[in-house]
Amino acid sequence: MLHARPETLVLLGALLTGPLNPAGGQDALSLPWEVQRYDGWFNNLRHHKRGAAGARLQRLVPAYYADGVYQALEEPLLPNPRRLSDAATRGRAGQASHRNRTVLGVFFGYHVLSDLVSVERPGCPAEFLNIHIPPGDPVFDPDQRGDVVLPFQRSRWDPKTGQSPSNPRDLNIALYEWLPSFLQKTPPEYTGYRPFLDPSISPEFLAASEQFFSTMVPPGVYMRNASCHFQKIFNKGFGTSPALRVCNSYWIRENPNLNSIQAVNQLLLGMASQISELEDRIVVEDLRDYWPGPGKFSRTDYVASSIQRGRDMGLPSYSQALLALGLETPKNWSYLNPNVDPQVLEAVAALYNQDLSRLELLPGGLLESHGDPGLLFSAIVLDQFVRLRDGDRYWFENTRNGLFSKEEIAEIRNTTLRDVLVAVTSVDPSALQPNVFIWSEGSPCPQPRQLTTEGLPPCVPVTMYDYFEGSGPGFGITIVALCCLPLVSLLISGVVAHLRGRERKKLQKKGKESVKKEAAKDGVPAMEWTGPRERSYPITIQLLPDRHLQVLDRRLSVLRTIQLRPSQQVNLILSSNRGRRTLLLKIPKEYDLVLLFNSEEERDTFVQHLQDFCVHWALGLSVAEMVENVLFRKAVTKQQRGRILEVFFRHLFSQVLDINQADAGTLPVDSSQKVQEALMCELSRNEFAESLGLKPQDMFVESMFSLADKDGNGYLSFREFLDILVVFMKGSPEDKSRLMFTMYDLDANGFLSKDEFFTMMRSFIEISNNCLSKAQLAEVVESMFRESGFQDKEELTWEDFHFMLRDHDSELRSTQLCVRGGGGGILSFFSPGVGDIFKPNVSCRVSFITQTPGGRSCSQGMGLPASETPELGGPGLKKRFGKKAVVLAPRLYTEALQEKMQRSLLAQKLQQYKRFVENYLRHIVCVAVFSAICAGLFAERAYYYAFASPSSGIAETTFVGIILSRGTAASISFMFSYILLTMCRNLITFLRETFLNRYVPFDAAVDFHRWIAMAAVVLAILHSAGHVVNVYIFSISPLSLLACIFPNVFVNDGSQLPQKFYWWFFQTVPGMTGVLLLLVLAIMYVFASHHFRRRSFRGFWLTHHLYILLYILLIIHGSFALIQLPRFHIFFLVPALIYGGDKLVSLSRKKVEISVVKVELLPSGVTHLQFQRPQGFEYKSGQWVRIACLALGTTEYHPFTLTSAPHEDTLSLHIRAVGPWTTRLREIYSPPTDSCARYPKLYLDGPFGEGHQEWHKFEVSVLVGGGIGVTPFASILKDLVFKSSLGSQMLCKKIYFIWVTRTQRQFEWLADIIREVEENDCQDLVSVHIYITQLAEKFDLRTTMLYICERHFQKVLNRSLFTGLRSITHFGRPPFEPFFNSLQEVHPKVRKFGVFSCGPPGMTKNVEKACQLINRQDQAHFIHHYENF
């Protein structure tokens, strides 16, 4: 709304009433009359608001809008305002007023009008009716761009209007008490106050008075003193001028020509003597081309803006206004005004398409005026003046209000503006004429001449302000810096992880340095040259006893061992140039060794050592010299040796397997020479071990190599290798057993003693990391002898040995020799199908569960019946290479009880989808509900700010930015509030035992927490992007626009310069807290990543406690209410109270110190802690707790699964040392040296529930544990057996426990628990299957023998050879899908199986994949719960 300025009303009152303290006035404290309000309220006792500040305009003529309500008329319905301004008001300046009206009268009228009502004040929300400049405009578009637009912001409007055509939108302005001193008509006699007359200002009056005065404004203003001396004006860059230029005085608040009170008096005297411009249509260029512009433009067209303002106000056309006021309308364009140039009328008529009815009020009123206001303007002004006077109850002539006496009224009537000026200034009365609005002949101080633009400084041309000028680089750098916050956080986390890794390595490598130093003490450092295109690398050369030369890498690992024989001749070639620091050691039947030393002295030192070595061991040594380039060419490198061995193995296998030359692969061009060279070469022990994928020092390699090396020269020829390979590829089981017998008949006496049998078995278990001790191995040997009836024999014949393997003929038959070949493997030299023949027959060692007549489940090795096994070397192996050999699938021992339906791929996908929905229905529903709430909040805020918010103009200013920022803010507020509930561990543990667990997956709280966090950070990024858009738009928006959007922050004080972008980012509360929030989120999210969390749990723990700062910043961020009232507390209050209560419950437990009663340091870095059970501590098997060790700090808690059962009196944990905290924990709880010392105490928080608790809800449950992930199942197994021993009724009837471990020694503590379970499991509730994965299948003979020994041991002693348990031990990784299929055969009536896995992500993913594949079938349903660590 428009408001009248109170000070202006006082000034107007002073001008109208004369002296402020009239004679005869009474004391203010005893006034008998009513005191008038300053704002005009209650002037009319019936209509209190009439004539008051903020009253609506009173239209004389109905509003004229395009839609009758709101939309202003624009092009093409009406002419372009700039074209109309040029056509109607352009002309020559310097024509004097016909009535000699003074410039002081013009000044007075303008300021009274602008002070009472300011239609220039922009409306809120900001709306624009921009003025398009015609191309080539000489002032605004001299470059003929054609895209120049002068901004025009619509005026303020009454929000109660504009709702229907019967109540048009109108301006809300204040009452003007403007006296039309230049109206050449006398108002009718005052007949008294008329209470039913509305004195409100009309928009027609505003337009008429303003436009009439615009034609009278001169291009400059004179200044004179009381003695009629007209002053010279000093102009910067122009010199002096006779008058102040109007167009250059708009912005000069400290004008050097008006720097004193005397100068102001001179300006008033000059205006009193200066005659204004002629009252016609012409407007000087100072207003028409150089009026102060809004927004980015320094100049605008005053006339065009006034025309646009009339359209904004809905003013009627010129003809409509004449008819409404009862005036005669012109018949045609020439009747408008005979004094107007016909060419001007023709130009204007052309713009209106010769349609006089479309002529607007403002240009029509100007065209009809000449010397005096035209009939229309005169009628409008007179009507307004009469209503102002007669509708004012406090008008000074109203004798009934008791304000003034007749004498006072007469005195007021005799007061003029001249009297006021003389009274309030120091002007000499003789220097002013009696009527300061008219200059007459005889008046003092006539003007020198009628002022024109000649002699005046030119107007400053239009300029465009670029609000963003100079801010682009800074804005871009700021955005890049904000985007780099995660990268900086990532860099910091990388440094922290690196430091923690170094700390962990230091803890794990204590004592290793001394060993390395001892090993390198006798070595000689050098660089080994391996080829012309290869990089040399540092090595250490050692000369060892027994004629061995050993090459070590920088980590002191053995790279190569060279055995020198007495009959060998060692050739040493030295370089004779380039520093003489190169040495070539040529070794017969092996690739050469080329060494680079730092200097000749170092080389000579090594040569001397080598000569002494050869003399000591009676070795021949020849030394020669040659230039270095020739030396390099003469050397046989490892690559060259590899190519020779490649041909060697090709021809070796082509002869064994009858492969054609074409199938064996292409040979080099000089094939005959290469083949001859390859066939003549011999394999060293190292190359033989490498071809088998074994270590040279393995006993098996020693035995095999010694057996194959028939001539005893320490190398294998082509024929020697071929003979032994034929046995493995084509030999019968008898041949293979005889080969093994001969290999380990070390004394070659034709018998195998117990010691030699022991040595054979010892070589077999090397590949299982020596999983058996010597005592265990001795027990195995005795058992095998006893089972075969040889307990009384000390030596075995081959027949006895073969009899011991009588039950494993099929395994021996399928046993082959896996040869890798030179330089990458023999299998790579042939087509892909070759690999299938040499692959180990893994199926022969995969166990499946079958039903026995007694009802107990047992394990049987899956192998092919003898009748179905192809003879080695028969047709099955004589197939041409390049075609895949047929490997029969393992046959199930229990036939299917239900018909398996063959489904199409689409049906399988649908079944998989169906089972997925069944498995995760609760998860899907919860995620869908949560997502729907977030989407609904986003949509509600977006819709509100787009269409339903109070009109502030923000949506029109930054539509995309405000919708994006406000919508995401609502969703983020909800997410960051309710994410707290996912961390209420005590509440979740309680609720999962209620009926709500059937509808809400409380076990997935951590996954849901991560999902919410990731969704929230994505929305936070979008929120930031929206604000980046907002900041940019606000940085280029004028203050008038910002004052509408942010009325509590900005005031439209006339400045057009908005705040810079950095003010929004760093000098506002929302901006600064937003930047800090991005920083906090970047730190928390990066340090919470899976990669970093595994490397520095403490870093994750500490940075995640920044959530307190996060919520403080979130509250402050929205509390400033820059755009809307704070709303975050609406979402945050309830979750915060619940979370606070949950934390109080945890804190009440954390402060209880718990004593550790027993500690065991187990192998594989596992620490077993047994501690007191707090009073009232109730838990269930499978639950976990959080502990803090007082010796390591009371604030860092780590989660671990309880391995004790609920019925036990103490609590126990098995903690593996994998990080700095767990490693230090192991050190702290090492056995104390002082017997009186006590273990450090613990803080305990928990218990907390998770998915493994659900094991008892399934009739059959499968527990899969990998690595340290077996800990929750230890508690479950003990709990199950205990409950069954008490005769408790349980739904769960059978548990299959699959333990996946690299070696059985890795978690031997679990074997003790399983052994305890087996002893107490009288009802056969638990079936344990152990899979040992670190069993290298490099040479299938050894793994076959291990398998034979394991089955024999289990058969004889009913326990595993490796674990000592009755459970079944398998070698390799578990085949989950066949295993689950077998379960369906064993338990055909069970419709739902519970599968619970805990371990590395790779293992749990394999279990999940197997469940999905099984669930595709229309049979039993496998429901998978998993936890990763």
Side-chain angles (χ1 to χ4, degrees):
M1 295 187 300
L2 296 174
H3 299 278
R5 300 183 181 178
E7 62 272 17
T8 306
L9 292 174
V10 174
L11 173 61
L12 184 59
L15 293 174
L16 295 176
T17 60
L20 299 178
N21 187 22
Q26 301 183 27
D27 189 277
L29 297 177
S30 59
L31 289 176
W33 57 79
E34 180 184 1
V35 178
Q36 182 181 7
R37 284 174 58 100
Y38 75 96
D39 57 1
W41 273 78
F42 296 101
N43 189 303
N44 191 306
L45 297 179
R46 180 179 295 271
H47 304 284
H48 300 160
K49 196 175 180 180
R50 280 188 178 178
R56 294 176 55 194
L57 292 175
Q58 179 64 35
R59 290 187 178 274
L60 300 180
V61 185
Y64 186 46
Y65 287 108
D67 58 353
V69 179
Y70 170 77
Q71 293 292 342
L73 290 166
E74 296 185 83
E75 298 181 80
L77 298 177
L78 294 177
N80 179 275
R82 175 62 178 174
R83 294 183 187 274
L84 188 57
S85 171
D86 283 342
T89 62
R90 183 176 296 276
R92 183 176 59 86
Q95 301 183 57
S97 169
H98 283 186
R99 303 288 183 181
N100 282 350
R101 294 183 175 90
T102 63
V103 175
L104 182 60
V106 178
F107 169 80
F108 176 82
Y110 257 121
H111 280 274
V112 168
L113 182 63
S114 62
D115 283 342
L116 288 176
V117 178
S118 177
V119 295
E120 300 296 332
R121 294 187 64 184
C124 291
E127 297 178 81
F128 293 88
L129 290 175
N130 295 330
I131 302 172
H132 295 271
I133 299 300
D137 187 281
V139 177
F140 296 105
D141 190 17
D143 299 331
Q144 297 186 350
R145 292 166 48 194
D147 59 351
V148 180
V149 176
L150 296 181
F152 179 86
Q153 192 170 346
R154 301 186 72 172
S155 303
R156 293 195 175 190
W157 54 279
D158 186 352
K160 296 181 180 179
T161 64
Q163 299 172 1
S164 68
S166 61
N167 186 18
R169 179 185 131 149
D170 208 341
L171 295 171
N172 210 8
I173 64 172
L175 172 66
Y176 294 110
E177 295 191 12
W178 178 68
L179 183 63
S181 60
F182 283 72
L183 191 64
Q184 295 296 312
K185 293 182 180 180
T186 303
E189 286 292 331
Y190 181 70
T191 57
Y193 170 61
R194 298 165 61 184
F196 297 101
L197 183 65
D198 189 352
S200 300
I201 302 295
S202 68
E204 294 82 3
F205 168 73
L206 292 175
S209 57
E210 280 195 334
Q211 291 310 304
F212 180 69
F213 278 121
S214 67
T215 65
M216 301 169 61
V217 175
V221 179
Y222 284 119
M223 293 178 63
R224 70 172 177 85
N225 56 19
S227 60
C228 298
H229 175 71
F230 286 84
Q231 305 291 332
K232 290 291 185 180
I233 305 301
F234 295 95
N235 303 280
K236 185 177 180 180
F238 184 78
T240 60
S241 61
L244 286 170
R245 186 68 192 257
V246 173
C247 62
N248 293 340
S249 302
Y250 297 137
W251 303 281
I252 306 179
R253 296 187 177 184
E254 296 182 0
N255 195 317
N257 298 287
L258 298 172
N259 53 9
S260 64
I261 298 177
Q262 187 66 29
V264 175
N265 293 340
Q266 293 174 358
L267 180 64
L268 291 173
L269 292 175
M271 288 191 295
S273 298
Q274 183 179 356
I275 298 175
S276 67
E277 286 286 305
L278 177 63
E279 305 87 346
D280 57 0
R281 63 171 184 85
I282 297 176
V283 178
V284 295
E285 64 178 10
D286 296 59
L287 272 65
R288 184 170 38 77
D289 293 337
Y290 299 102
W291 184 253
K296 298 182 179 181
F297 288 85
S298 63
R299 302 289 191 176
T300 191
D301 185 344
Y302 177 80
V303 177
S305 299
S306 299
I307 294 172
Q308 200 76 330
R309 182 72 63 194
R311 298 173 182 177
D312 173 30
M313 297 166 64
L315 293 182
S317 66
Y318 175 70
S319 300
Q320 288 174 329
L322 290 174
L323 290 174
L325 296 178
L327 301 176
E328 182 181 359
T329 59
K331 298 179 181 179
N332 52 45
W333 289 94
S334 61
Y335 276 76
L336 274 175
N337 191 340
N339 298 310
V340 177
D341 188 350
Q343 293 182 352
V344 174
L345 291 177
E346 291 177 3
V348 174
L351 292 175
Y352 285 99
N353 294 327
Q354 307 299 327
D355 188 354
L356 184 60
S357 63
R358 295 168 57 191
L359 180 64
E360 297 167 86
L361 187 148
L362 294 183
L366 289 177
L367 290 174
E368 73 170 3
S369 300
H370 188 78
D372 288 316
L375 293 177
L376 179 59
F377 279 3
S378 297
I380 292 173
V381 172
L382 181 60
D383 171 78
Q384 183 66 65
F385 170 74
V386 171
R387 288 189 294 108
L388 283 173
R389 183 191 65 179
D390 295 350
D392 184 8
R393 186 162 60 92
Y394 295 102
W395 184 255
F396 72 97
E397 292 181 294
N398 183 11
T399 57
R400 300 181 63 181
N401 59 22
L403 290 175
F404 303 102
S405 63
K406 292 184 178 180
E407 292 77 10
E408 291 170 338
I409 293 173
E411 184 176 354
I412 293 172
R413 288 292 301 270
N414 293 329
T415 302
T416 63
L417 182 59
R418 177 177 180 273
D419 299 330
V420 175
L421 293 176
V422 171
V424 300
T425 64
S426 59
V427 175
D428 187 354
S430 62
L432 290 171
Q433 64 269 33
N435 186 355
V436 295
F437 300 132
I438 303 294
W439 192 90
S440 321
E441 287 294 333
S443 297
C445 304
Q447 65 180 7
R449 61 181 177 87
Q450 184 63 32
L451 197 63
T452 63
T453 57
E454 296 181 5
L456 297 179
C459 294
V460 177
V462 61
T463 57
M464 285 185 62
Y465 297 112
D466 185 0
Y467 297 147
F468 212 65
E469 184 178 4
S471 299
F475 184 78
I477 292 173
T478 301
I479 301 304
V480 171
L482 293 178
C483 294
C484 288
L485 289 179
L487 299 179
V488 174
S489 179
L490 187 63
L491 178 62
I492 296 173
S493 68
V495 173
V496 173
H498 176 70
L499 295 177
R500 299 292 283 184
R502 288 178 57 185
E503 181 182 355
R504 182 165 60 251
K505 289 179 180 178
K506 287 180 181 179
L507 293 173
Q508 294 174 347
K509 293 184 178 180
K510 285 185 177 180
K512 291 185 178 180
E513 293 298 327
S514 59
V515 177
K516 288 187 176 181
K517 290 180 180 178
E518 184 68 24
K521 182 173 61 176
D522 299 329
V524 177
M527 299 286 291
E528 182 179 3
W529 181 84
T530 57
R533 296 181 182 85
E534 301 294 329
R535 178 180 296 180
S536 301
Y537 52 86
I539 60 169
T540 300
I541 308 296
Q542 288 183 334
L543 301 177
L544 302 178
D546 297 332
R547 297 182 296 274
H548 281 81
L549 188 149
Q550 192 165 262
V551 181
L552 309 176
D553 62 7
R554 65 173 62 190
R555 295 182 179 179
L556 301 181
S557 299
V558 178
L559 294 176
R560 182 182 180 188
T561 301
I562 303 172
Q563 185 176 8
L564 303 175
R565 298 185 178 275
S567 59
Q568 277 185 336
Q569 178 72 22
V570 179
N571 297 319
L572 189 64
I573 302 176
L574 307 178
S575 63
S576 58
N577 61 342
R578 294 188 179 181
R580 300 172 62 87
R581 59 189 187 91
T582 307
L583 175 151
L584 168 61
L585 183 63
K586 293 193 71 66
I587 303 164
K589 302 181 181 180
E590 295 189 39
Y591 66 90
D592 299 337
L593 183 65
V594 180
L595 302 179
L596 305 175
F597 294 89
N598 293 326
S599 63
E600 183 181 2
E601 290 75 13
E602 290 186 8
R603 188 190 70 174
D604 292 343
T605 301
F606 174 74
V607 171
Q608 184 62 45
H609 286 317
L610 183 61
Q611 289 175 341
D612 296 341
F613 181 80
C614 292
V615 170
H616 181 267
W617 293 104
L619 298 173
L621 177 65
S622 65
V623 181
E625 285 192 1
M626 62 181 60
V627 295
E628 188 174 279
N629 291 338
V630 177
L631 183 149
F632 285 151
R633 288 196 298 269
K634 193 175 184 63
V636 177
T637 64
K638 187 176 182 179
Q639 290 180 344
Q640 294 172 339
R641 179 71 174 180
R643 288 193 290 268
I644 294 173
L645 294 181
E646 176 181 342
V647 180
F648 179 94
F649 283 113
R650 280 186 182 178
H651 282 266
L652 183 71
F653 278 91
S654 64
Q655 290 194 25
V656 173
L657 301 177
D658 300 331
I659 304 174
N660 291 339
Q661 185 68 30
D663 291 328
T666 59
L667 293 173
V669 177
D670 52 343
S671 59
S672 59
Q673 180 183 354
K674 295 291 184 182
V675 170
Q676 186 66 26
E677 181 182 359
L679 296 181
M680 291 298 294
C681 83
E682 296 183 353
L683 284 139
S684 66
R685 187 187 304 271
N686 285 358
E687 291 168 336
F688 176 72
E690 185 179 358
S691 68
L692 300 181
L694 300 174
K695 297 178 181 178
Q697 60 269 26
D698 284 352
M699 281 189 289
F700 184 84
V701 174
E702 293 281 351
S703 302
M704 177 68 75
F705 190 85
S706 300
L707 176 66
D709 185 15
K710 296 179 180 179
D711 56 6
N713 67 344
Y715 294 91
L716 292 184
S717 66
F718 182 85
R719 176 53 58 184
E720 289 172 338
F721 203 159
L722 179 62
D723 291 341
I724 195 170
L725 188 61
V726 167
V727 175
F728 279 98
M729 290 300 176
K730 297 184 177 183
S732 64
E734 291 79 5
D735 295 335
K736 295 176 183 178
S737 65
R738 185 179 294 278
L739 178 65
M740 282 190 292
F741 183 88
T742 307
M743 281 174 56
Y744 290 98
D745 182 12
L746 302 180
D747 54 6
N749 63 350
F751 295 93
L752 198 65
S753 65
K754 278 190 177 181
D755 291 339
E756 291 171 337
F757 193 92
F758 182 90
T759 301
M760 179 188 70
M761 296 300 299
R762 193 69 186 166
S763 69
F764 292 156
I765 66 172
E766 283 180 344
I767 60 172
S768 60
N769 290 333
N770 295 315
C771 56
L772 298 179
S773 64
K774 289 185 177 180
Q776 289 175 318
L777 184 58
E779 185 180 3
V780 172
V781 172
E782 292 293 337
S783 173
M784 295 183 73
F785 271 68
R786 184 171 55 253
E787 175 66 17
S788 302
F790 303 143
Q791 62 270 19
D792 297 330
K793 288 189 176 184
E794 291 298 325
E795 293 181 331
L796 299 177
T797 64
W798 171 77
E799 289 78 8
D800 296 335
F801 178 73
H802 188 69
F803 178 78
M804 294 180 68
L805 308 179
R806 64 191 180 281
D807 295 332
H808 304 283
D809 186 75
S810 61
E811 283 81 2
L812 284 174
R813 188 181 301 277
S814 59
T815 299
Q816 300 167 354
L817 182 66
C818 283
V819 182
R820 290 172 53 184
I826 185 63
L827 302 186
S828 64
F829 303 146
F830 300 103
S831 57
V834 179
D836 296 322
I837 294 182
F838 299 115
K839 284 183 180 178
N841 190 359
V842 180
S843 64
C844 69
R845 288 186 300 280
V846 175
S847 300
F848 294 94
I849 305 165
T850 60
Q851 279 189 338
T852 60
R856 289 180 59 90
S857 61
C858 65
S859 174
Q860 298 187 11
M862 289 301 299
L864 294 176
S867 60
E868 297 180 10
T869 306
E871 288 291 333
L872 293 178
L877 284 177
K878 291 184 179 180
K879 297 177 66 175
R880 294 176 63 85
F881 276 73
K883 296 183 180 180
K884 204 166 188 177
V886 178
V887 179
L888 298 179
R891 177 174 56 84
L892 293 178
Y893 277 78
T894 303
E895 297 298 330
L897 301 180
Q898 302 175 15
E899 182 181 359
K900 296 185 178 180
M901 301 175 60
Q902 297 296 327
R903 292 174 169 268
S904 65
L905 179 61
L906 178 60
Q908 290 181 8
K909 291 294 183 182
L910 291 176
Q911 180 68 14
Q912 182 181 7
Y913 173 75
K914 175 185 174 183
R915 290 297 172 85
F916 176 82
V917 173
E918 290 178 2
N919 273 349
Y920 298 102
L921 180 60
R922 296 181 303 164
H923 303 70
I924 294 172
V925 171
C926 288
V927 170
V929 170
F930 193 88
S931 301
I933 294 174
C934 295
L937 291 172
F938 182 97
E940 186 273 334
R941 286 289 90 187
Y943 176 82
Y944 176 81
Y945 278 96
F947 307 107
S949 63
S951 300
S952 65
I954 190 169
E956 292 79 3
T957 306
T958 170
F959 186 80
V960 174
I962 195 63
I963 286 180
L964 195 60
S965 59
R966 290 297 89 205
T968 53
S971 299
I972 291 171
S973 299
F974 177 77
M975 286 183 168
F976 276 133
S977 298
Y978 283 86
I979 197 175
L980 290 174
L981 298 183
T982 62
M983 290 293 102
C984 296
R985 301 183 182 91
N986 299 287
L987 177 64
I988 291 172
T989 302
F990 170 76
L991 291 178
R992 71 183 313 281
E993 302 300 327
T994 66
F995 72 97
L996 291 176
N997 195 38
R998 289 180 292 179
Y999 308 102
V1000 180
F1002 293 108
D1003 295 330
V1006 175
D1007 293 330
F1008 197 49
H1009 178 88
R1010 296 192 187 103
W1011 178 82
I1012 295 175
M1014 294 309 301
V1017 79
V1018 171
L1019 291 179
I1021 294 172
L1022 294 177
H1023 181 78
S1024 303
H1027 276 313
V1028 168
V1029 175
N1030 294 338
V1031 167
Y1032 173 76
I1033 292 178
F1034 295 156
S1035 300
I1036 61 174
S1037 299
L1039 199 60
S1040 60
L1041 188 61
L1042 297 178
C1044 290
I1045 301 174
F1046 309 107
N1048 297 327
V1049 181
F1050 298 102
V1051 177
N1052 187 13
D1053 56 1
S1055 172
Q1056 297 294 328
L1057 298 178
Q1059 293 288 356
K1060 294 293 185 180
F1061 74 91
Y1062 50 79
W1063 184 88
W1064 295 95
F1065 276 124
F1066 305 110
Q1067 296 180 3
T1068 62
V1069 173
M1072 194 62 209
T1073 55
V1075 173
L1076 292 176
L1077 280 169
L1078 290 178
L1079 177 61
V1080 171
L1081 287 176
I1083 295 174
M1084 291 182 66
Y1085 276 76
V1086 170
F1087 279 76
S1089 63
H1090 178 74
H1091 177 81
F1092 180 83
R1093 196 168 65 249
R1094 290 180 63 88
R1095 282 157 178 78
S1096 178
F1097 185 87
R1098 181 173 178 82
F1100 157 73
W1101 175 263
L1102 294 176
T1103 56
H1104 232 58
H1105 276 75
L1106 289 174
Y1107 76 92
I1108 300 174
L1109 177 61
L1110 174 73
Y1111 286 109
I1112 292 175
L1113 291 174
L1114 282 172
I1115 294 171
I1116 298 175
H1117 184 67
S1119 64
F1120 194 64
L1122 194 62
I1123 295 178
Q1124 68 176 16
L1125 293 177
R1127 289 168 51 92
F1128 180 67
H1129 65 278
I1130 299 175
F1131 307 101
F1132 180 66
L1133 191 59
V1134 174
L1137 291 175
I1138 297 175
Y1139 179 76
D1142 191 87
K1143 291 294 288 184
L1144 290 177
V1145 173
S1146 295
L1147 289 173
S1148 66
R1149 290 194 298 257
K1150 290 179 183 179
K1151 298 306 177 184
V1152 178
E1153 296 183 0
I1154 299 174
S1155 300
V1156 177
V1157 297
K1158 182 181 179 181
V1159 175
E1160 288 184 271
L1161 300 183
L1162 303 175
S1164 303
V1166 175
T1167 305
H1168 175 216
L1169 297 183
Q1170 188 174 345
F1171 47 93
Q1172 293 177 347
R1173 182 170 180 170
Q1175 186 176 2
F1177 187 88
E1178 299 294 335
Y1179 69 101
K1180 296 184 178 181
S1181 56
Q1183 289 187 330
W1184 57 279
V1185 295
R1186 298 166 65 237
I1187 65 167
C1189 180
L1190 272 62
L1192 296 178
T1194 60
T1195 59
E1196 185 174 355
Y1197 282 78
H1198 289 257
F1200 301 101
T1201 305
L1202 289 167
T1203 54
S1204 56
H1207 64 275
E1208 297 178 356
D1209 296 330
T1210 58
L1211 303 178
S1212 63
L1213 298 172
H1214 286 78
I1215 303 171
R1216 187 183 180 192
V1218 293
W1221 191 87
T1222 51
T1223 303
R1224 290 197 301 268
L1225 183 80
R1226 184 176 176 87
E1227 292 179 353
I1228 288 173
Y1229 285 106
S1230 298
T1233 56
D1234 187 1
S1235 59
C1236 299
R1238 294 185 176 181
Y1239 294 112
K1241 295 186 177 182
L1242 302 174
Y1243 279 161
L1244 180 67
D1245 184 20
F1248 304 113
E1250 49 94 19
H1252 296 129
Q1253 288 180 240
E1254 309 293 331
W1255 64 269
H1256 59 86
K1257 296 184 179 180
F1258 296 90
E1259 188 174 351
V1260 177
S1261 293
V1262 181
L1263 312 180
V1264 184
I1268 198 65
V1270 299
T1271 51
F1273 305 127
S1275 175
I1276 292 174
L1277 293 175
K1278 291 192 290 185
D1279 189 28
L1280 172 67
V1281 174
F1282 175 76
K1283 289 180 178 179
S1284 65
S1285 65
L1286 296 179
S1288 301
Q1289 294 295 326
M1290 295 185 300
L1291 175 62
C1292 186
K1293 304 301 181 183
K1294 186 69 177 179
I1295 281 186
Y1296 295 96
F1297 175 47
I1298 299 176
W1299 178 19
V1300 184
T1301 179
R1302 296 176 63 191
T1303 68
Q1304 94 294 345
R1305 288 187 175 184
Q1306 193 169 13
F1307 299 104
E1308 290 181 345
W1309 58 269
L1310 183 64
D1312 297 334
I1313 295 176
I1314 296 176
R1315 188 175 297 107
E1316 179 185 351
V1317 170
E1318 289 177 343
E1319 292 175 357
N1320 297 323
D1321 184 17
C1322 301
Q1323 303 179 20
D1324 191 28
L1325 294 174
V1326 180
S1327 177
V1328 181
H1329 294 260
I1330 302 173
Y1331 286 85
I1332 300 177
T1333 59
Q1334 197 180 53
L1335 192 64
E1337 297 183 5
K1338 305 293 185 182
F1339 189 72
D1340 293 281
L1341 176 61
R1342 294 201 296 173
T1343 51
T1344 300
M1345 290 300 298
L1346 279 178
Y1347 177 77
I1348 293 172
C1349 294
E1350 165 66 11
R1351 291 295 168 260
H1352 170 81
F1353 204 72
Q1354 196 167 21
K1355 174 182 176 182
V1356 175
L1357 301 180
N1358 195 26
R1359 57 191 177 97
S1360 172
L1361 167 68
F1362 299 95
T1363 63
L1365 303 174
R1366 292 201 303 266
S1367 57
I1368 302 140
T1369 301
H1370 312 270
F1371 307 135
R1373 301 186 181 277
F1376 291 112
E1377 184 183 357
F1379 191 91
F1380 294 157
N1381 270 322
S1382 298
L1383 287 182
Q1384 297 181 92
E1385 310 301 333
V1386 177
H1387 306 280
K1389 296 182 179 180
V1390 177
R1391 301 303 301 166
K1392 286 189 177 181
F1393 291 85
V1395 181
F1396 304 87
S1397 65
C1398 182
M1403 186 198 74
T1404 57
K1405 287 180 180 178
N1406 288 336
V1407 176
E1408 174 67 19
K1409 183 178 180 181
C1411 290
Q1412 291 179 0
L1413 292 174
I1414 296 296
N1415 288 337
R1416 290 182 183 179
Q1417 307 169 11
D1418 192 13
Q1419 297 187 52
H1421 185 194
F1422 286 77
I1423 301 175
H1424 184 213
H1425 303 264
Y1426 68 92
E1427 290 288 335
N1428 292 329
F1429 62 86

